[in-house]
Structure formats: structure tokens, C-alpha cells
Amino acid sequence: MIGFIFIIIGLPLWWNTTKVYRASLPYKDIEKLAELKLDYLVNIKILIPKEESLLNLKSFDNSLRDQLNSLIAEFAVNPKFEINTRFLSEAENSLLKEKSQRNAALKDLDFALQKLWYGEKSSNGNYIFIFLPSGIFEQMKTTHIGKFLHTIIPYKKEIASELKNIVTVIKNVYINVETISRAFNTASQRNLKTNNMENIRAQKSVSGYQISFTLLNSDPDSVIPWWNIEEAVQKYLNPFLAKVPHLNTSIDSQVLHYSTVQLNPTRDGQAFYLDYKDLPHLINPIEAKLGSYVSLNSNLNFIVYVPSQDQTPLYVRNKDGDVAESNAFLSPQWGGFVIYNINRTNLENNHVELEMRSVMSTFISQLKLLLGGQPIDQPEQSILGEYSSTEITEWEELSLWRTKTMEFLSTSTITLTSLARLLEQISNMVIGDQIQKQIQQALLSIEKSKDALEQGRVTTAYLEAKTALTSSENAFFDPSILALLYFPDDQKYAIYIPLFLPISIPIILSLFEGIKWLKGSKDKSKTDEREKKPIEEKKND
């Protein structure tokens, strides 16, 4: 009897109370991510003088469209160019004539056009090429690429002659198709090529940074350097970070004395030099002295090193053997290093305040590259507008968001795919409701980011991609996935055999007794039926 009760009630009860809970997941939607392809819209506007004929306008539009479409290759990520060509408006003509008559600087014209078109708002991702009419800024001979998303082209008798120049600016400055595609492929390990400096310089798929500034003084007996790092951060770094508000950043600083470089620089005359091949060896001994700042974000270190008196002046040589103009170098994914020489001969006392403008200018230039920005090669027949190195142009900002979006989408798709495979392979791993919600949120954000890219809304695409990355990683690293409800088979046997073996013997014996009892009751009923039949026959007789 006990055995039957165990089978009918005990086993189902044990199975349902010990089974692993697994929330349902959209495995089919996750599988589709492996074939994810992205298209991003690029809006281009061409403004030409009214003296041009309508026929020239249409011909130029078609030729530009054909040349831009030739940039599209069979990548997982491709641009879709939308071109709008029109004549200059009356307001635009008036502004150009006014600035030309005043002989205004091109920088002022750049800002005036931005204010005319957008006021205090951003450019909405529209790249504008404006051809100057005849007689306007006649001294201008070269295409001017400004701080915003518009390029000013001097008067040309044949606007078709500038076609190649426009395509070059779009390809090399505004939209670097290969760089954007490489950001997606590198993060997803698709078509991975040999690593070069551009591939390894920035940390991939990082949404926040802990920025650490350190002043290293190797000889406090002869000089005590002092820096107003708080004022420098507020004056130079914060305006830069305000242009990239969607990156989570925190800042700390410290001053360390008696920290010497563990290398013997080469002496040449009265100066000392650190060769390019020796620069990587500076990081390890210094890093051990930097300490660590508790942060969930990736750390970027920026070091100002004041060499000792017996090694001053100390200079850095670049790859070509020339002295680096900034006397600094960058370490990929780690940070930047500036050597600050102090002339000790004219010191009234040993306290010296550092000049922070040049230091912060170098650090911000390095920070741009460490965040994922790309160095710009100035196109032929074009010049980049004059702007401070502590600033970030609008086209640099847009390019950064577009690159980061590709990285985030790529990493989140790989994370979700890996998680789905893991959960399918290990059938008794817990899948909680919170994991289900995180995966669903990641899939939704990936789709929203994809739609925003197709509509040319780069900032929205970045924010949705960032949400997808956060949700996918929260799901993958959820503590409940590795809860103790998951055991390998050998551990299951080790746990259940000592439990079930002792109680299985009486249960099995009880089952045998029950089977015998059932067989005995059946035999008895058959015997009774046989005995009844003769009695019934006698009664009939």
C-alpha cells in the first residue's frame, strides 16, 4: 500500500516541488540576431546659387547620388544617403552678402549659418554643403569644414567640379563607412582583421568611464609642483563632457611624490630622451603606485610627470625618432601621459604652479581617441575650421554616437545569443522572471535602435543601444543563473542516492506485497466464480 501511495502521490509531489523554474524566452527572436544587418540614414543637403540652371541642379544631384552609392559595400552595416539639392534662399543670400561685405572670418560665418538654420538647437543630423554665389568671399579659395555639420565651398563656375571634393569630405570626415562597419564587426567578432592601433585604442562597448588625473613628482626636494586640477576640470574638461552627456563619467585626482620613471633615458647634449620603444615599459611600474578607485566604470588614467632635476629636460620621441610636439604619448585603453619639464634655475622658492591649459588640451585630445574618436586626415582641397583642441565638433560628436551605437548593438546581440545557447544546453538552469524581462527589454531596445538608425535619429539610436547593452549584460550576469538549484548529473546522484536508497527497499517490498495481494485477490475471485457455477447448475436441474 505504501508503495502505491508513493508512486501515485509521492513522486508527482516530489517532481513538482523540486523542478527548476524556467521562464519562457523568445529563442527564435534571439536566433535572428545572428543575421542582424543595420542601415543608417545620412541626410545630405546641397545649397547652390540661383544663377545655376535647374538642369545643372538635377544633373549634380544625380551624379552625387551615384558616387555616394558606390561607397556602399556588402557590409553588415551600410549607410543610406538621402540627398536634397536646392537653391539658396533669400535669407541665406542676405547673410552671405552681409558677412562678405564685413570681411568676416569664416569661423563667424560658420556660427552665423548655424544660428540662421537652427537657432540654439542642434543640426538634427543634416550635413549641409553650401556653394557661395559669385562675388561672395572672393578671397576664399579652399573648401571650409566648420565646427558644425555644414561645409562652405567657394564660388565655382562649374559646381560639378566640386563633386569629388564633396564625396571625399563625406567619406573621410563626416561618414567613415569602413570605421563604422569595423566598430560593429570588431565587437561581434565578424570578419575580424588583424588588430591595428585604431582597433585597440578605445575600450569596446563601454558606457561609462572613471577618469583619474595624477600628478607624479619624482624630486620633491628640489621642487613642489602644484596644480589647480579642480579649476582646470571645470574650465576645460566639463565643457567637453557636456557635449557627450550620455556617457557616464566620474572624475578623481591625486598627487604622488617620489615617483620616478623606472627607465634610464638617453642623454643627448643637455637634454634627455625617452625612445618610442621604451614608452610601453613606463606604464607597469607607475600603475602599481596609482592605487585604485572603486568604480563600476572602466578607468582611464591621465598622468602628468615632473622629472627629477638630474633628468631635466626630458622629452618623448615618436615612432619616427622626432621629438613629440606635445611631449606626451597615449597608451591604448589605459590613458595618457604628459611629461612636464620645470626650469629650476629661476625659482624663488621650490613651489611651482603648472600651466594647465596645454596639459588639459593634450589630455582632451587623447580622451577623444580613447572614447572611440578617429583621427581626421584633412582632405585635399579642404581645410578644417579653427577651433580649440579642448572642444568637440558636432560632426565628431555625431560620429562618436554612431560608432558607439554599432558597438553596443553588436555586443548586446552576441551576449543574448551566448546566453540563449547556454540556457538551451543546460536544461536544469534556473531562468527567473527578471531574466525574462531583461532579455525582452534588450530585444525591444535593439529593434528601437535599429529603427532610429534607419530614420537618421543617431542620439536616440545610441540611447536605445545603451539600454540594450545594459539589459543584456544584466541578464547574462544575473546571480540567480548560478544559483544552487543547478547541479551537474554526478552531483545529483551524490545527493539523491543516499536519500532514496534507504527508503527504496521497504517501498519496493511494499510494492511486491501489493502486487501479490492484487494477484491473490484476482485468483480468489476466479475461484469463487468457478464454485458458483456448479451450484447454479444444480439449482437449474
Side-chain angles (χ1 to χ4, degrees), residues 78-89:
N78 275 307
K80 298 296 181 185
F81 296 103
E82 186 171 299
I83 303 171
N84 180 18
T85 306
R86 66 171 176 84
F87 293 117
L88 289 168
S89 66

Side-chain angles (χ1 to χ4, degrees), residues 24 61 64 97 124 130 234 246 281 306 347 385 404 429:
S24 60
D61 186 285
L64 179 61
K97 288 180 181 179
N124 297 324
I130 177 170
Q234 292 177 354
H246 308 304
H281 303 298
V306 179
L347 294 181
K404 287 294 181 183
M429 182 177 281

Side-chain angles (χ1 to χ4, degrees), residues 87 130 223 236 248 417 485:
F87 293 117
I130 177 170
V223 66
Y236 302 111
N248 302 325
T417 303
L485 290 177

